[in-house]
Amino acid sequence: MEHYYQPEIECASREDILKLQNERLVKQVKHVYDNVPYYRKKMEEAGVSPEDIRSVEDLHKLPFITKDDLRDAYPYGLLAVPLKDCVRIQSTSGTTGRRVVAFYTQHDIDLWDDCCARAIMAAGGTDEDVVHVSYGYGLFTGGPGLNGGSHKVGSLTLPMSSGNTDRQIQFMCDLGSTILCCTPSYAAYLGETINEKGLKDKIRLKAGIFGAEAWTEEMRRDIEKSLGIKAYDIYGLTEISGPGVSFECSEQTGMHINEDHFIAEIINPKTGEVLPEGEKGELVFTSITKQAFPLLRYRTRDICVLTRKKCSCGRTHVKMTKPMGRSDDMLIIKGVNVFPSQIETVLLNKGYAANYQIIVDRINNSDTLEVQVEMTSEMFSDSVSEVSRKEKVLVDALKSMLGIYAKVKLVAPKSITRSEGKAVRIIDKRNLYQ
Ligand code: DLL
């Protein structure tokens, strides 16, 4: 039986990891400086040369790179190898502005597959599993990433892609899928549909690897219950490779970052100052092994905390919490910072499923917040006054969580459009960023 778990790296001592990171960082900075004029200019402007970077301790001397830089340099401006050496392009799922494209050599694909293979192994995957990949294939990294990881593990891989829920469920039953990979919102929808069809006894799923969007612990419990599985989080972003930058292990208390490939920092998003371990801030990655599209100090805009507490799984790589929001998409409503995950926590705590929409508007120069949430099927026969009472309960709970008033509208079950990819939860009609 083939095993892809790499204990010599994943469980290496901090000293060994640092040694590896130092060597790789020095090499990577030189590679980038020599081959990417855009970077060379940025480094020169910041008054830093490759010789100034001798170890991870010098990382802070390098300038940050942001999505704006990626857009400026679109499409080939950050490429660090000749185009003929690239074998793949992937792209972010962003819907506004210019898309971000990332390039991969075969070496980059191999390393990315390694990272996803580690994630599958950490969720208990082996070559005896049937890995059902319902992330989208194509430009989005979800499908190709988990597909490649599953091949490395030697599992039987079902490249389902997203959509056609009936067919997903039929294949799941007929082929005995054991590990499901998709967004948490699609996992919740699959669970809901499987239970409605009375097919829970016919599925053999044991684990799920869910990521690409924010999801709460409450949602994890819901999915675990409805599908009868253990649900693992996986994180990543196209700019840095795709899924598998970090992943959960059996302890499920954060995601191990593949530190042999990516150096993580937490910074104060306002000042750019590097924060000590345990402090909440914006996650920044430096990719130290990629050839085609190596980013140094890329600002992810994801807010989280890093911890080096000993993990019971034996892995020593630093852990990140689930992203707690984004430094750029946090909603500011009536001057109050609102994270959509806070609203989701309230809804799930009150017994609703994660089928909701947040509508933000500005009327007569005043911000409004409305939360539309689907009633459960039991509630659908409630009287009008009972529905109003339940709405009031949610209004109060949201007020106490957020500190501001949110109008709540209970809507009919299944009336909010289901997502086969990332759910569209926020409709911000204010268009503040245009
Ligand atoms: O979402 C890569 C991915 C695919 C990750 C499949 C996991 C599974 P992008 O489309 O470039 O890449 O979006 C990256 O999505 O900066 C986060 O804000 C968010 N994100 C990704 N994973 C998680 C997660 C893929 N587990 C952006 N929890 C990132 C919360 C996540 N947010």
Side-chain angles (χ1 to χ4, degrees):
M1 185 165 80
E2 188 179 342
H3 275 286
Y4 209 79
Y5 177 43
Q6 296 181 308
E8 71 287 1
I9 298 169
E10 297 186 65
C11 305
S13 69
R14 177 80 189 120
E15 294 69 38
D16 286 350
I17 287 291
L18 261 178
K19 191 164 169 274
L20 195 69
Q21 286 187 335
N22 290 340
E23 284 164 10
R24 290 181 170 177
L25 175 67
V26 169
K27 234 172 104 190
Q28 187 71 304
V29 172
K30 192 167 173 348
H31 170 57
V32 166
Y33 187 86
D34 288 347
N35 294 294
V36 187
Y38 190 96
Y39 252 117
R40 197 177 316 137
K41 186 161 168 269
K42 255 185 112 69
M43 284 171 64
E44 279 164 6
E45 278 165 6
V48 53
S49 69
E51 293 70 46
D52 297 326
I53 311 300
R54 282 178 305 235
S55 74
V56 176
E57 285 193 2
D58 297 322
L59 194 57
H60 68 97
K61 297 178 184 165
L62 289 168
F64 293 117
I65 188 147
T66 66
K67 228 182 190 95
D68 287 341
D69 288 306
L70 269 60
R71 290 190 177 124
D72 279 357
Y74 175 90
Y76 299 126
L78 288 166
L79 199 56
V81 298
L83 197 57
K84 72 170 180 46
D85 293 345
C86 297
V87 297
R88 179 91 66 80
I89 289 178
Q90 304 281 169
S91 174
T92 55
S93 50
T95 47
T96 52
R98 263 183 189 168
R99 276 178 168 259
V100 165
V101 285
F103 300 84
Y104 304 74
T105 61
Q106 188 55 53
H107 156 97
D108 297 337
I109 297 276
D110 281 345
L111 300 184
W112 178 24
D113 289 350
D114 280 3
C115 291
C116 289
R118 289 178 188 172
I120 294 171
M121 295 295 304
T126 70
D127 58 2
E128 296 190 13
D129 278 294
V130 180
V131 176
H132 188 113
V133 185
S134 308
Y135 285 113
Y137 281 65
L139 284 171
F140 178 55
T141 53
L146 271 305
N147 196 93
S150 172
H151 276 222
K152 281 241 162 145
V153 175
S155 311
L156 177 61
T157 313
L158 267 174
M160 295 300 300
S161 197
S162 52
N164 202 337
T165 302
D166 284 343
R167 192 182 57 185
Q168 300 268 358
I169 296 173
Q170 186 176 354
F171 267 62
M172 209 175 264
C173 295
D174 293 351
L175 302 175
S177 309
T178 52
I179 298 182
L180 172 65
C181 306
C182 62
T183 57
S185 17
Y186 195 46
Y189 180 45
L190 279 168
E192 190 179 275
T193 314
I194 286 167
N195 282 287
E196 269 169 17
K197 288 179 183 284
L199 290 173
K200 193 162 170 196
D201 292 347
K202 300 269 184 303
I203 60 166
R204 294 183 46 212
L205 288 178
K206 63 176 190 188
I209 303 177
F210 308 130
E213 63 181 354
W215 56 308
T216 55
E217 286 304 322
E218 290 83 354
M219 193 164 170
R220 188 206 302 265
R221 283 196 288 278
D222 273 6
I223 295 172
E224 290 190 332
K225 195 162 155 226
S226 77
L227 286 171
I229 59 171
K230 192 156 170 163
Y232 296 85
D233 204 350
I234 182 166
Y235 169 90
L237 58 165
T238 316
E239 298 89 318
I240 298 299
S241 65
V245 170
S246 68
F247 58 84
E248 266 185 346
C249 61
S250 52
E251 203 182 83
Q252 293 187 311
T253 52
M255 294 177 270
H256 290 284
I257 294 171
N258 281 306
E259 285 194 284
D260 48 331
H261 299 300
F262 315 109
I263 303 175
E265 297 169 278
I266 291 286
I267 61 157
N268 175 329
K270 289 205 184 80
T271 63
E273 175 207 359
V274 180
L275 299 176
E277 186 202 323
E279 283 200 28
K280 185 165 146 185
E282 182 182 329
L283 187 57
V284 171
F285 281 117
T286 297
S287 98
I288 48 175
T289 48
K290 274 175 70 179
Q291 295 176 333
F293 198 71
L295 298 185
L296 309 178
R297 304 198 85 202
Y298 180 66
R299 290 188 61 163
T300 65
R301 303 283 173 190
D302 291 315
I303 302 291
C304 69
V305 176
L306 296 181
T307 168
R308 291 200 175 273
K309 276 197 199 114
K310 199 168 185 277
C311 185
S312 61
C313 78
R315 289 176 183 80
T316 47
H317 290 188
V318 69
K319 281 203 272 194
M320 59 179 268
T321 56
K322 273 177 179 299
M324 297 156 162
R326 287 180 58 85
S327 62
D328 60 353
D329 87 347
M330 177 181 70
L331 294 162
I332 302 180
I333 302 171
K334 294 183 178 166
V336 176
N337 296 351
V338 174
F339 287 104
S341 60
Q342 295 173 294
I343 296 179
E344 187 175 296
T345 298
V346 169
L347 300 179
L348 291 165
N349 277 344
K350 293 286 174 197
Y352 295 83
N355 298 319
Y356 65 90
Q357 238 160 18
I358 299 167
I359 299 149
V360 187
D361 207 346
R362 184 164 285 178
I363 297 166
N364 296 333
N365 289 325
S366 175
D367 290 341
T368 60
L369 168 63
E370 182 178 315
V371 180
Q372 296 190 350
V373 54
E374 279 184 12
M375 300 182 204
T376 59
S377 42
E378 294 83 349
M379 285 167 59
F380 197 40
S381 47
D382 280 352
S383 65
V384 174
S385 63
E386 180 56 13
V387 170
S388 308
R389 193 192 65 77
K390 286 182 173 147
E391 285 173 345
K392 172 87 179 42
V393 170
L394 281 179
V395 168
D396 291 347
L398 286 168
K399 177 92 205 282
S400 95
M401 169 70 97
L402 310 173
I404 53 167
Y405 170 76
K407 182 177 173 189
V408 172
K409 204 161 151 191
L410 285 172
V411 297
K414 298 236 172 327
S415 60
I416 293 177
T417 314
R418 295 297 192 271
S419 160
E420 286 162 355
K422 298 191 191 205
V424 180
R425 304 239 191 259
I426 304 159
I427 300 171
D428 194 338
K429 296 184 178 169
R430 301 174 299 177
N431 291 329
L432 297 177
Y433 302 107
Q434 281 187 350

